[in-house]
Amino acid sequence: MNYRKAAEFLHMTQPAVTQHIHFLENEYKCKLFNYNGKKLQKTKAAYKLESYARSAKYSENILKKEIISKPLTELRVGATKTIGEYVITEQVKRFFQNDSYTLSLIVDNTENLLYLLEHNKLDFALIEGFFDKQKYNYILYRNEPFVGICSKTHPFAHKNIPFEELFKETIIVREEGSGTRAIFEQILFEHNFTLDCFKKQICISNFQLIKELVLSEKSISFVYEAVANSDNELSFFTIGDNNITREFNYVYLKNTNAEKYITLF
C-alpha cells in the first residue's frame, strides 16, 4: 500500500509502478486505489482482482508441476497447531502409504497459514480459527468441542463454572494470531468480557508447555477437546450454559482446483 516501497520491492522506478497500475485500471475499466487523505486504500475492484490474481498464480504453479511430470506429486498442507499436533496424525500416516505422493506439512497459527495460502506456499490449510468465508473456499472437516482444562485437584474439575469465577484464576492463552485464542476471545466478547478481566494472564505458543503449567501451577486454559484428551491428568470444566463447539475446516483459494488435493489427503 505504498508506491515507493512497491517500486523498491520490484526493482522498478516509482513512475513505472504508477504506469502499470494505470494500465490495469484501463484494462479492467475500474479504479483500483484511492487516497483517503494521505493513506492509500484498495477499492472493492482491487480486492476482487487481487483474489483472482492469487488464484491464477496458484493454477499456473500447478500447471508447471504437471508439465514437468515429476515422478511424485507433492501435496503442500498447512494445519493449525491443535489439528496438526493432536488430530491428523493417523491421517498423515495413511497418506504416507501412498507411493505416488510426497507431503510437505506446515504447522502454524491461523494468521500465518492464511498468509502462506495467499502466497501460493500451500495447496490448502486445515484451520481451527476464524477466517473470512467470503474470501476463501472451504469444506467442513469436523466440529470440535471447546473446553476449559485444569488439574484434577483444581476446584473447577468436572464442574460448570460461572464466568465471574473464572476471573479469579491465572489464564494461559495462545499467542496472537492463533485460532484457539481468537475463539476464546470471541466467547468472552459475546459475554461482555475480555482477557483483562483475569487476575493474571500468561501467553504461551506451545500446547505441551501449556498443559504442564496447567497441571503444576494451578492455572486454567481453554483448548479444543482433542488437546484435552491427550493427557489423562487433565480435567475438563464448562462455563455458564455454554456447550461450545467450533468448526475445523479445509480452507483453499477460490477459483482453483485445490479441492482435488483435499480429496487425496
Side-chain angles (χ1 to χ4, degrees):
M1 302 306 298
N2 182 296
Y3 280 93
R4 178 183 59 79
K5 291 181 180 179
E8 290 174 357
F9 180 81
L10 295 168
H11 304 292
M12 298 169 63
T13 64
Q14 186 169 329
V17 171
T18 302
Q19 184 179 22
H20 195 74
I21 294 297
H22 288 161
F23 168 80
L24 289 170
E25 291 178 331
N26 290 332
E27 179 70 16
Y28 289 99
K29 306 294 189 295
C30 66
K31 189 72 174 173
L32 295 175
F33 297 94
N34 289 314
Y35 275 101
N36 182 5
K38 294 184 178 181
K39 187 176 181 181
L40 193 64
Q41 294 181 330
K42 297 176 189 174
T43 64
K44 289 183 179 180
Y47 280 108
K48 288 182 178 180
L49 181 58
E50 180 184 22
S51 176
Y52 173 80
R54 293 191 189 283
S55 300
K57 181 63 176 175
Y58 173 83
S59 297
E60 182 191 26
N61 288 342
I62 296 300
L63 177 62
K64 287 178 178 178
K65 288 182 180 180
E66 292 176 348
I67 289 175
I68 294 172
S69 298
K70 291 183 178 180
L72 296 178
T73 300
E74 181 186 19
L75 202 62
R76 304 170 303 162
V77 181
T80 48
K81 292 187 178 181
T82 297
I83 298 174
E85 295 177 8
Y86 297 97
V87 176
I88 60 171
T89 300
E90 293 303 318
Q91 196 168 343
V92 171
K93 287 180 180 178
R94 289 195 299 271
F95 185 82
F96 266 87
Q97 296 173 6
N98 191 324
D99 294 333
S100 299
Y101 301 96
T102 184
L103 177 67
S104 172
L105 175 64
I106 295 176
V107 178
D108 208 329
N109 65 41
T110 300
E111 183 179 324
N112 291 338
L113 291 178
L114 292 176
Y115 176 87
L116 292 174
L117 187 66
E118 289 190 358
H119 288 78
N120 287 291
K121 303 299 183 183
L122 299 174
D123 295 306
F124 64 88
L126 274 158
I127 299 292
E128 70 191 60
F130 295 112
F131 63 94
D132 187 348
K133 290 186 173 180
Q134 298 297 315
K135 188 175 182 180
Y136 305 97
N137 280 347
Y138 60 95
I139 299 171
L140 179 66
Y141 179 70
R142 78 185 198 193
N143 289 298
E144 183 77 6
F146 191 76
V147 298
I149 56 170
C150 60
S151 69
K152 289 183 175 180
T153 59
H154 193 283
F156 287 2
H158 306 299
K159 293 181 181 178
N160 184 270
I161 307 300
F163 271 94
E164 289 75 9
E165 289 296 309
L166 293 179
F167 305 134
K168 301 174 184 178
E169 303 292 322
T170 296
I171 182 75
I172 303 178
V173 294
R174 286 275 310 283
E175 77 281 4
E176 292 276 0
S178 77
T180 301
R181 178 173 177 146
I183 291 292
F184 185 53
E185 288 183 322
Q186 178 66 24
I187 292 167
L188 291 174
F189 176 79
E190 290 170 357
H191 292 82
N192 300 311
F193 299 116
T194 70
L195 287 172
D196 291 334
C197 295
F198 284 88
K199 177 184 75 174
K200 182 179 179 181
Q201 55 176 288
I202 299 172
C203 178
I204 297 176
S205 64
N206 180 272
F207 275 124
Q208 186 58 40
L209 184 53
I210 289 174
K211 291 191 295 181
E212 290 178 7
L213 288 174
V214 165
L215 291 173
S216 64
E217 298 296 328
K218 302 301 181 184
S219 52
I220 62 172
S221 189
F222 283 81
V223 298
Y224 284 101
E225 193 172 73
V227 179
N229 285 334
S230 67
D231 194 318
N232 292 329
E233 296 302 311
L234 290 172
S235 287
F236 295 21
F237 65 90
T238 56
I239 47 175
D241 298 323
N242 293 274
N243 183 14
I244 304 166
T245 61
R246 290 293 187 269
E247 295 178 352
F248 290 174
N249 285 291
Y250 292 106
V251 181
Y252 57 104
L253 294 179
K254 286 190 171 184
N255 305 308
T256 66
N257 63 347
E259 188 173 348
K260 74 175 185 179
Y261 291 103
I262 294 173
T263 302
L264 292 174
F265 188 69

